[in-house]
Amino acid sequence: MADYDYDLFVIGAGSGGVRASRIAASHGARVAVAEEFRIGGTCVIRGCVPKKLLVYGSHFAEELQDAAHYGWSVEGMTFDWNVLRDTVLRDVDRLEAAYTTTLDNNKVDHFHERATVTGPHSVKLASGREITAQYILIAVGAWPVMPDFPGNEHCITSNEVFHLSSLPKRVIVQGAGYIAMEFAGIFNALGCHVTVVNRSETMLRGYDAALRDRLLQITMARGIEYKFNCPIKLVEKQVDGSLMVSVGDQDPIPADVLLIATGRRPKTDGLGLESAGITLGQGGEIPVDEYSKTACASIYAVGDVTDRVQLTPIAIREGHAVADTLFGGTLRKTHYDAVPSAVFSQPPLASVGLTEAQAREMFAGNVKIFTADFRPMKNVFASRHERGLYKLVVDAASDRVLGVHMIGPDSPEILQAVAIAVRAGLTKAEFDDTIALHPSMAEELVLMR
């Protein structure tokens, strides 16, 4: 490997790329990483971390309203979008510095410029420098999809939403996946009029139907409007800077901001992978084997750029596994069963394992369903009558818990522990044998009969 400039060259300094770089360096490899934007990647810079901070900020509207029912008098409440926005962006700066320090502390060289593949063992930087490496890891992530319709240049994506100069009064969100539902909840809580438009009739595809239905009911009661089966046809900018949006066969909708959240596509355009004999999939993804190896034996790929699960913890596990496999003397791969996921909508939902529909198909209908439909204690004094819903999907033959699905306050925090139980293959009887922690919402998980 001394014949190469580096043992490992990573393209993309997001969660997967940084983890792979750090672990490979800890194994003694000479490592470099190239990042054309900011170190930290989508999750840290313009994704789950700043978005979760916006969720926290928007929650105070609800908490302050409920405070009066608990004896607190809060007068003169006002909200300043600029303060929240700038506070979030400062934390992004802090995290980028922390990620950079991690690379430095592990003696990983980093180039702040675009890199493209020029062969099985070579890359070229935007500055023109060519670098060789025994192995190349592609970890460039994905990019928001912008649908093709007249006026789409007036729209924004999740990349730009964190930099809005002011809080819009009217927001249209196109899409009904987790990104769309999270931002719809944020803007709704901050007092914006929110309309969700979707080309199909399904929201949060892949999540259990009971949770989707409950979230729809609650968010509609909170004032979010939905227009299903309504693809956007045209966006026109008005003299005052506002937008007029034509959807489906309905009357045009006025808006101040139109956020496109219709999915993400692997960011592989122009990456030069064909020079190494790698053919992309139909969606632009890089096909890989169980060890994240591409069609070229010296090039690997992890994270959202592949056709596997697009979640930050998955990218981290994949990057770690590649580093261990190549330089740690241990063949390691990532397991994709019982992967927990959450939507930080308002209220949030969280899931792990099989949905009821998936279980009935896989087990020929031989499943048992247990539910707990309850009003969270914190809502009892509030004016909201929102109810939480927990659901267990159980294999009737073995009694093994196949899936857990939850909607209600703090569901993602609760689910992480439950995911361990599902991953371990625990049975419903073992859930039932666990003593409840009272009073808590989590106790509902061991009280379903």
Side-chain angles (χ1 to χ4, degrees), residues 374-378 414 436-444 447:
F374 60 95
R375 190 178 182 190
M377 182 180 291
K378 68 172 295 186
I414 298 170
L437 193 159
H438 180 77
S440 72
M441 293 178 290
E443 69 179 314
E444 299 291 343
L447 298 177

Side-chain angles (χ1 to χ4, degrees), residues 82-375:
N82 293 344
V83 172
L84 175 58
R85 178 201 62 203
D86 293 347
T87 301
V88 170
L89 294 179
R90 280 195 300 271
D91 199 60
V92 168
D93 292 341
R94 178 188 65 82
L95 289 169
E96 181 186 18
Y99 271 62
T100 303
T101 298
T102 295
L103 294 177
D104 290 338
N105 289 345
N106 286 275
K107 296 180 173 55
V108 175
D109 292 340
H110 40 93
F111 301 94
H112 292 268
E113 53 186 307
R114 180 175 173 80
T116 55
V117 176
T118 55
H121 298 283
S122 60
V123 301
K124 185 175 183 179
L125 301 179
S127 59
R129 178 179 174 182
E130 296 212 23
I131 297 175
T132 61
Q134 176 72 10
Y135 295 103
I136 297 171
L137 175 63
I138 309 298
V140 296
W143 200 252
V145 172
M146 177 63 73
D148 185 17
F149 53 76
N152 64 2
E153 69 272 15
H154 304 308
C155 305
I156 66 170
T157 69
S158 56
N159 286 352
E160 298 82 35
V161 71
F162 301 103
H163 303 275
L164 291 175
S165 59
S166 60
L167 183 66
K169 293 182 179 179
R170 302 163 299 180
V171 178
I172 294 177
V173 179
Q174 184 191 22
Y178 74 95
I179 295 175
M181 297 311 303
E182 288 171 345
F183 278 114
I186 289 168
F187 285 118
N188 171 255
L190 293 177
C192 309
H193 182 273
V194 178
T195 304
V196 174
V197 298
N198 193 37
R199 64 172 57 249
S200 74
E201 60 184 14
T202 304
M203 63 186 291
L204 295 177
R205 190 182 307 276
Y207 281 87
D208 194 88
L211 269 61
R212 289 187 274 133
D213 291 343
R214 180 62 56 90
L215 181 63
L216 180 63
Q217 296 169 15
I218 292 175
T219 53
M220 287 179 64
R222 290 191 176 203
I224 296 178
E225 294 188 21
Y226 290 88
K227 295 186 180 298
F228 293 110
N229 298 310
C230 285
I232 293 179
K233 294 183 175 180
L234 171 68
V235 177
E236 298 176 293
K237 194 163 189 176
Q238 308 300 294
V239 176
D240 63 358
S242 66
L243 305 175
M244 191 62 69
V245 183
S246 298
V247 299
D249 298 323
Q250 303 192 17
D251 293 334
I253 307 171
D256 301 302
V257 165
L258 172 48
L259 171 63
I260 303 296
T262 54
R264 299 173 64 83
R265 187 179 188 277
K267 199 171 185 293
T268 49
D269 292 342
L271 204 53
L273 293 170
E274 66 280 357
S275 65
I278 298 173
T279 302
L280 301 177
Q282 291 185 345
E285 74 278 5
I286 301 175
V288 293
D289 67 10
E290 59 185 343
Y291 294 102
S292 296
K293 184 191 297 184
T294 69
C296 177
S298 58
I299 298 180
Y300 288 69
V302 299
D304 294 358
V305 77
T306 69
D307 60 353
R308 297 172 293 189
V309 182
Q310 290 192 343
L311 289 174
T312 295
I314 291 293
I316 291 172
R317 286 290 182 94
E318 290 171 349
H320 197 134
V322 167
D324 283 347
T325 296
L326 295 180
F327 305 107
T330 303
L331 278 176
R332 194 180 301 280
K333 56 186 177 181
T334 302
H335 300 281
Y336 301 96
D337 57 317
V339 174
S341 64
V343 180
F344 295 99
S345 49
Q346 301 191 31
L349 56 88
S351 293
V352 64
L354 300 180
T355 65
E356 178 179 350
Q358 290 170 337
R360 290 194 182 282
E361 181 177 353
M362 291 181 63
F363 292 83
N366 192 29
V367 297
K368 292 182 178 179
I369 304 299
F370 299 86
T371 61
D373 192 328
F374 60 95
R375 190 178 182 190

Side-chain angles (χ1 to χ4, degrees), residues 390-439:
Y390 292 179
K391 182 175 184 178
L392 298 185
V393 180
V394 179
D395 176 7
S398 67
D399 197 42
R400 182 166 61 94
V401 177
L402 304 172
V404 179
H405 310 281
M406 312 165 64
I407 181 171
D410 300 320
S411 288
E413 303 293 343
I414 298 170
L415 185 91
Q416 179 64 82
V418 184
I420 300 172
V422 175
R423 182 83 174 81
L426 297 190
T427 64
K428 178 64 168 59
E430 289 169 317
F431 270 59
D432 295 343
D433 286 343
T434 303
I435 302 299
L437 193 159
H438 180 77

